[in-house]
Amino acid sequence: MSEQKRLFFAITLPEESRQSIIQWRADTFPAEAGRPVAAANLHLTLAFLGDIGEEKTQALMQQAGRIRQQAFSLTLDDAGHWPRSGVVWLGPKQSPRGLLQLAELLRSQAARSGCSQSPLPYHPHVTLLRNATHPVSLPPRNFSWSLRVERFALFQSVFAQGRTRYQQLADWALTQ
Ligand code: 2AM
């Protein structure tokens, strides 16, 4: 069996938004709230594939390359805390239809290829803090980052020297 890699499809955030988000996060959450995700790792997952081999990866990449969907705008203007998973997140109050369609397609292609998908409804989010298992006070909803989503990508999650790093393996353009 080929080497397995931990993979997921996601949208990256522009560098400018990432810098602005991490500044806001530092101003908003105390250090004890949780472990901040590195700026370079801020992303919004579309579909989580789990640990998969080369053959399945190639098949899913081919299917991803056949997706014809329009670019869309996304506004991150909501935040929340999931104490069970210890995640503090940023997300859209209103998910654009394009985002839901793209995630739905990638998730159903993944499921058909045998990548088990969470039975929970898709909740688009950018994880800001991890290990946030104690109550966290959330800020008033007076923040907002808007971005144009013109591409999506396949990432490998690599854990080495005590750190997780996300390495982009391929990406695809949405139509304009
Ligand atoms: P999280 O940030 O909410 O933990 C890489 O790990 C990405 O895949 C992260 O965005 C992570 O979401 C997501 N992820 C990890 N395990 C997952 C799972 N079992 N189901 C859905 N998404 C998962």
Side-chain angles (χ1 to χ4, degrees), residues 97-155:
R97 192 199 296 248
L99 172 65
L100 298 179
Q101 277 173 352
L102 182 58
E104 172 58 30
L105 189 50
L106 290 167
R107 281 157 59 96
S108 60
Q109 288 175 344
R112 277 203 299 278
S113 290
C115 303
S116 73
Q117 297 298 294
S118 163
L120 299 174
Y122 175 62
H123 189 295
H125 66 280
V126 176
T127 296
L128 292 179
L129 301 176
R130 294 198 183 277
N131 302 345
T133 47
H134 297 295
V136 171
S137 109
L138 292 167
R141 304 290 192 279
N142 58 3
F143 51 85
S144 151
W145 289 270
S146 290
L147 43 128
R148 186 89 188 138
V149 178
E150 296 176 329
R151 311 187 74 78
F152 67 100
L154 179 67
F155 287 90

Side-chain angles (χ1 to χ4, degrees), residues 152-171:
F152 67 100
L154 179 67
F155 287 90
Q156 179 181 3
S157 174
V158 181
F159 185 76
Q161 293 162 342
R163 288 173 179 222
T164 299
R165 194 166 50 81
Y166 300 135
Q167 191 181 344
Q168 187 172 307
L169 301 185
D171 73 333

